[in-house]
Amino acid sequence: MSFQVASEVGRLKTVIVHRPGKEFTRLSPSNKEDLLFDDVLWLNRARQEHDRFVGAMAANGVRVLHFEQLLGEALENPEGRDFILEHSFAPAFVDPEILVPFRDYASELSGADLAELLIAGVTESEYEELVGQKLPERVASRGGMVLPCLPNHLFARDASAWAYGGVSVNLMRMPARRRESINLHTLYTYHPEFAGQDFKRWDTEAFLAQPDNPEFSDLEHSIEGGDICIIGNGAVMVGVSERTGLDGVRNLARSLFNQGAAKTVIALKLPISRAFMHLDTVMTMADEGTFLAYQGLGKVPSITMRPGANGQLEETTDDGPGMYDVIAKALGLDAIKVLVNEVDPLTAERDQWNDACNLLALAPGKVLAYERNEQANAYLESQGIEVIAVPGAELGRGRGGPRCMSCPVDREAL
Ligand SMILES: NC(=[NH2+])NCCC[C@H](N)C(=O)O
């Protein structure tokens, strides 16, 4: 397998996805907000939709890897297993009183069963049956889960993101998603198809400072893949958002520059809100030099980072008006094309909420999009973009579309 993501739109070759599973049987009206979902899901329908999504990629020659299977395989490696047992069964996530028997139980599982348990979590009632011990009264009275489920693995884009010849395992902003990074680190470090292969890690120090650190208070260091857009020509555009802090962008820029993997990183300052949680909820690429943007985004301020003297970052700021020129310059183009569907603002807002801007390019000018955004897709077609529409009535309830649900590992250069 080769590992190289040098653009957003070159022909997509290999991708990691996560098919929704048992974790969604735990998503409920009382916990959905903490788990970052706007509604509960009908699991079987969500799985059918996801199969269509995967089928559309496979039909276009994409090799689709399944996260849960990869994690299970990585956990067959004793060191991978030890790492995950130590950091996931840690006081930050599991009540200290049950930590030891719970970890002992988990350590006996097969790789596949342990992977499922880590993603699906364990409810209080399951615990007693599985571990064969009564839950202490204090723990049992919480009415929740003794190991929380991780439904946001569905959005495979966020916890790790590939850029040029390497991957960043990300420091997630929201507590509900922090354990995802532990799983991704385990996969990339211990899975036979990834371990020791020819790729870099952009995160290492940041990640290792985080795995199960209960304080994790320095949110300016967080970064999530939905904010990271590999625009090409050695440039990366990163949203500073509800999820990504400016220091997180700077850390990524330093890692990329130190290895000569990139020469420009543009930090775009987004409004801080759930609807705009990541850059890819409001702006993605559809073709070479061509972007699709939500009309409500407008032009936002940016900081352009380039390698400076003595390993420092050289930063140039723009207050907003120059946004498109800043991007064009990083791409070495005279201008970029930004497609904005000028419809009634309420329509635009509804479409954006349903991920109309969250495109996954399979090749230049050929994108996957949710079929529900009929009018937005017709607009794209009118602009010469080929749209392959996939269902997302259930999948979209967590606010993520085709781009969010995919983690490209290998993409042809332009
Ligand atoms: N790249 C993205 N836009 N991901 C969407 C993530 C949605 C997820 N429920 C969250 O709130 O974290």
Side-chain angles (χ1 to χ4, degrees), residues 163-365:
Y164 299 97
V167 65
S168 169
V169 174
N170 295 323
L171 267 97
M172 307 300 282
R173 170 85 44 121
M174 303 304 207
R177 302 199 64 176
R178 299 222 177 112
R179 274 177 39 237
E180 288 177 44
S181 311
I182 300 175
N183 296 342
L184 267 305
H185 172 78
T186 307
L187 191 169
Y188 294 135
T189 314
Y190 301 104
H191 190 281
E193 278 211 65
F194 291 86
Q197 296 302 306
D198 186 19
F199 65 83
K200 303 266 190 318
R201 281 283 294 268
W202 304 133
D203 53 273
T204 313
E205 276 172 49
F207 173 75
L208 291 177
Q210 178 248 356
D212 53 20
N213 176 358
E215 269 126 49
F216 192 73
S217 52
D218 192 0
L219 298 176
E220 278 309 298
H221 281 82
S222 69
I223 186 160
E224 302 194 359
D227 278 309
I228 305 176
C229 181
I230 315 304
I231 58 178
N233 193 42
V236 180
M237 186 162 90
V238 191
V240 176
S241 64
E242 186 193 62
R243 305 301 178 82
T244 295
L246 189 53
D247 288 340
V249 185
R250 289 191 173 119
N251 285 342
L252 177 68
R254 277 190 210 101
S255 306
L256 291 165
F257 296 163
N258 286 345
Q259 300 282 336
K263 52 188 186 192
T264 321
V265 170
I266 304 171
L268 282 184
K269 293 198 176 169
L270 303 178
I272 306 297
S273 79
R274 172 150 178 84
F276 283 55
M277 78 180 95
H278 294 118
L279 175 63
D280 69 7
T281 61
V282 285
M283 187 169 180
T284 50
M285 280 186 92
D287 201 349
E288 235 182 302
T290 303
F291 296 77
L292 173 69
Y294 168 48
Q295 61 166 244
L297 175 64
K299 291 186 177 173
V300 297
S302 63
I303 302 177
T304 300
M305 304 171 191
R306 294 202 175 77
N310 308 320
Q312 304 282 358
L313 298 176
E314 190 191 290
E315 299 189 348
T316 324
T317 55
D318 176 79
D319 292 338
M323 175 180 159
Y324 295 177
D325 298 330
V326 166
I327 300 171
K329 190 168 167 209
L331 286 173
L333 301 173
D334 290 336
I336 54 168
K337 191 166 165 187
V338 182
L339 305 175
V340 179
N341 190 12
E342 296 294 354
V343 286
D344 162 73
L346 292 177
T347 306
E349 191 188 335
R350 283 165 50 88
D351 286 353
Q352 188 270 336
W353 182 245
N354 286 317
D355 286 292
C357 296
N358 195 255
L359 306 177
L360 174 68
L362 298 179

Side-chain angles (χ1 to χ4, degrees), residues 2-9 12 14 157 161-166 230 232 236 407-413:
S2 69
F3 307 88
Q4 183 67 230
V5 178
S7 92
E8 282 287 319
V9 296
L12 184 59
T14 310
R157 179 69 61 158
W162 292 77
Y164 299 97
I230 315 304
V236 180
C407 174
V409 172
D410 192 13
R411 228 192 229 283
E412 239 167 48

Side-chain angles (χ1 to χ4, degrees), residues 3-70:
F3 307 88
Q4 183 67 230
V5 178
S7 92
E8 282 287 319
V9 296
R11 200 174 67 78
L12 184 59
K13 287 162 68 179
T14 310
V15 89
I16 301 175
V17 300
H18 176 60
R19 185 173 193 250
K22 192 175 168 190
E23 63 280 9
F24 283 100
T25 64
R26 283 86 203 273
L27 182 69
S28 76
S30 60
N31 65 23
K32 69 177 172 34
E33 243 158 80
D34 287 342
L35 292 172
L36 310 170
F37 272 74
D38 299 300
D39 202 351
V40 298
L41 252 74
W42 174 13
L43 177 58
N44 279 333
R45 180 55 53 85
R47 291 169 74 108
Q48 286 166 7
E49 291 177 353
H50 198 268
D51 292 345
R52 291 269 301 278
F53 168 59
V54 167
M57 289 192 279
N60 281 278
V62 181
R63 179 175 177 219
V64 182
L65 306 175
H66 286 271
F67 166 70
E68 184 170 335
Q69 187 187 338
L70 294 176

Side-chain angles (χ1 to χ4, degrees), residues 86-104:
E86 181 189 337
H87 293 286
S88 297
F89 292 86
F93 309 119
V94 172
D95 193 283
E97 223 179 309
I98 59 168
L99 204 56
V100 174
F102 198 4
R103 193 191 278 150
D104 287 349

